[in-house]
């Protein structure tokens, strides 16, 4: 069986295995444009304040003829509040932090959440390189434009690898790094990198059936599926009917290659100087890669923990890969405890 067919078969099994009884189908629902995604707290009357920023420095660095714009949400905070920058993972967007926005704002933080280039409501240029270094530069251009000298970086999965790239290359800037089920620790051989390049294609992403989407989202990312998470399925199915979905699928394909080929991050973890924590689900089904490696999530995250000086490691029992949505209560508790422990940037260590 070809690698492409094998992956499709595994997704099919996941889809069938996660469907118990009747489930709602969105196959006949109207298309959903990325710009029409509902960015708001559950039950809120007003959406989150969405803004856009042009990225001329990033465009110049990577030789882009057109300057892209990145969308982000910025929640108001008191003067002097510390800034937490939330960076989403592969295939997702800033709404995946919906269980953290209100909690962090109540705790007094200046909350900024980004849609990385290619995702959510940001531009999706084909000329963007979609490496973790380019992603980190886009995030850094945003923080600098906001006048934030020492952000606290919080990145999930691909966003974790983006935060790692930021913290390695600009070690004096982050005042803290929170790695949530991060990519970047797992080693891939050249043959495995070639496998990713063969299997991942825009056509593969575009042709995913609804049962495969439901299975891959629920089975691969969650241990505690709840009805209020159904938006994850509905939005993905309806977005696939959007004219902009081709560009989004291409961004995913390029991002996967950027993730798999980023040995720079794995080889330079010792260069991180900011206080760091790794929070992960002990029942993560995506790390280590289930198609290539298998094994236990803790083994992968222990690798990063051992190489990031002074880092902390927190595993949440019975929680999956998208741990911030799967287990929001214990996750938020671990996150806020770490944030409170951080020294003020520029101040002497306690």
């Amino acid at each position: 069986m070809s690698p492409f067919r094998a992956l499709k078969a595994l997704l099919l099994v996941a889809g069938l295995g996660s469907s118990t009884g009747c489930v709602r189908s969105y196959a006949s629902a109207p298309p959903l444009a990325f710009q029409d995604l509902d960015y708001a707290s559950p039950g809120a009357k007003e959406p989150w304040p969405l803004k856009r920023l042009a990225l001329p420095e990033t465009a110049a660095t990577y030789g882009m003829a057109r300057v892209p714009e990145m969308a982000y949400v910025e929640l108001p905070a008191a003067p002097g509040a510390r800034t937490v920058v939330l960076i989403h993972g592969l295939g997702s967007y800033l709404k995946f932090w919906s269980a953290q926005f209100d909690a962090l704002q109540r705790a007094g933080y200046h909350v900024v959440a980004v849609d990385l280039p290619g995702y959510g409501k940001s531009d999706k240029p084909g000329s963007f390189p979609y490496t973790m270094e380019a992603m980190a530069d886009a995030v850094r251009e945003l923080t600098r434009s906001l006048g934030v000298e020492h952000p606290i970086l919080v990145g999930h999965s691909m966003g974790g690898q983006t935060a790692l790239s930021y913290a390695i290359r600009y070690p004096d800037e982050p005042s803290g790094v929170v790695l949530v089920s991060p990519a970047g620790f797992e080693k891939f051989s050249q043959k495995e990198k070639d496998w990713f390049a063969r299997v991942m294609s825009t056509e593969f992403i575009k042709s995913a059936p609804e049962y495969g989407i439901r299975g891959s989202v629920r089975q691969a990312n969650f241990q505690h599926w709840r009805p209020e998470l159904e938006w994850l399925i509905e939005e993905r199915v309806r977005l696939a009917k959007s004219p902009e979905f081709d560009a989004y699928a291409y961004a995913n394909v390029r991002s996967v290659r950027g993730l798999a080929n980023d040995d720079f991050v794995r080889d330079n973890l010792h260069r991180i100087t900011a206080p760091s924590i790794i929070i992960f689900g002990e029942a993560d089904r995506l790390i280590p890669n289930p198609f290539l490696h298998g094994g236990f999530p803790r083994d992968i995250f222990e690798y990063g923990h051992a190489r990031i000086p002074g880092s902390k490691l927190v595993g949440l029992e019975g929680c999956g890969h998208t741990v911030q949505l799967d287990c929001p209560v214990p996750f938020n508790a671990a996150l806020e405890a770490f944030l409170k422990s951080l020294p003020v940037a520029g101040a002497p260590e306690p």
Side-chain angles (χ1 to χ4, degrees):
M1 182 182 290
S2 71
F4 177 81
R5 290 181 177 177
L7 184 52
K8 268 202 162 183
L10 285 167
L11 289 178
L12 172 60
V13 171
L16 293 176
S18 68
S19 298
T20 57
C22 296
V23 294
R24 181 176 177 181
S25 172
Y26 303 100
S28 59
L32 176 65
F34 283 87
Q35 300 306 318
D36 292 334
L37 286 167
D38 181 21
Y39 280 6
S41 298
K45 295 181 180 179
E46 296 294 329
W48 298 314
L50 187 73
K51 303 179 181 179
R52 295 180 68 85
L53 175 75
L55 302 172
E57 294 179 12
T58 302
T61 299
Y62 297 99
M64 300 175 65
R66 185 177 69 84
V67 176
E69 290 188 351
M70 187 164 71
Y72 66 99
V73 161
E74 182 181 17
L75 300 185
R82 305 188 72 178
T83 300
V84 176
V85 180
L86 303 172
I87 312 169
H88 65 78
L90 179 71
S92 57
Y93 33 94
L94 62 82
K95 188 176 177 179
F96 279 59
W97 297 105
S98 58
Q100 284 69 53
F101 283 167
D102 294 340
L104 289 172
Q105 188 179 39
R106 284 195 301 269
Y109 294 97
H110 172 219
V111 182
V112 177
V114 303
D115 275 341
L116 292 170
Y119 297 88
K121 300 189 181 189
S122 288
D123 289 349
K124 301 168 179 59
S127 57
F128 189 78
Y130 294 106
T131 62
M132 300 309 103
E133 285 63 55
M135 296 288 200
D137 285 341
V139 174
R140 182 171 182 256
E141 187 168 356
L142 170 63
T143 60
R144 289 161 64 90
S145 74
L146 295 176
V148 178
E149 295 182 356
H150 298 289
I152 302 167
L153 304 175
V154 182
H156 171 241
S157 197
M158 180 181 76
Q161 195 161 337
T162 298
L164 287 168
S165 178
Y166 190 136
I168 290 168
R169 293 185 298 142
Y170 309 106
D172 295 334
E173 294 185 13
S175 62
V177 179
V178 181
L179 303 167
V180 183
S181 308
F185 298 157
E186 191 172 0
K187 184 175 180 59
F188 296 99
S189 69
Q190 188 57 52
K191 286 186 177 180
E192 290 169 338
K193 295 173 184 178
D194 294 341
W195 181 86
F196 278 119
R198 289 196 306 272
V199 171
M200 291 303 297
S201 67
T202 56
E203 187 56 37
F204 174 74
I205 294 172
K206 289 163 57 180
S207 65
E210 184 173 350
Y211 59 77
I213 293 169
R214 183 174 291 277
S216 63
V217 170
R218 288 184 56 169
Q219 195 78 357
N221 287 275
F222 290 87
Q223 293 288 335
H224 304 281
W225 185 260
R226 308 178 298 280
E228 58 265 32
L229 296 173
E230 190 69 14
W231 61 267
L232 289 158
I233 310 297
E234 178 181 359
E235 291 183 356
R236 173 60 177 82
V237 172
R238 294 177 60 195
L239 285 170
K241 306 173 186 180
S242 163
E244 202 178 3
F245 193 79
D246 279 3
Y248 162 81
Y250 179 75
N252 275 262
V253 171
R254 291 289 304 276
S255 297
V256 168
R257 295 178 186 178
L259 285 163
N261 288 280
D262 195 11
D263 292 330
F264 165 79
V265 163
R266 192 174 189 274
D267 294 341
N268 287 280
L269 297 173
H270 61 282
R271 298 182 182 275
I272 297 174
T273 60
S276 303
I277 188 173
I278 303 164
I279 307 175
F280 71 98
E282 297 276 8
D284 192 319
R285 293 195 181 106
L286 288 180
I287 297 177
N289 186 287
F291 306 121
L292 299 176
H293 298 153
F296 297 99
R298 178 169 283 275
D299 294 338
I300 300 298
F301 299 120
E302 285 277 9
Y303 176 92
H305 170 51
R307 286 159 178 79
I308 299 176
S311 64
K312 300 178 181 179
L313 184 68
V314 175
L316 301 182
E317 287 288 343
C319 299
H321 181 68
T322 307
V323 65
Q324 75 273 26
L325 282 176
D326 196 25
C327 301
V329 174
F331 173 82
N332 287 354
L335 172 62
E336 291 186 43
F338 175 75
L339 295 181
K340 289 178 182 178
S341 74
L342 293 176
V344 176
E349 293 283 348

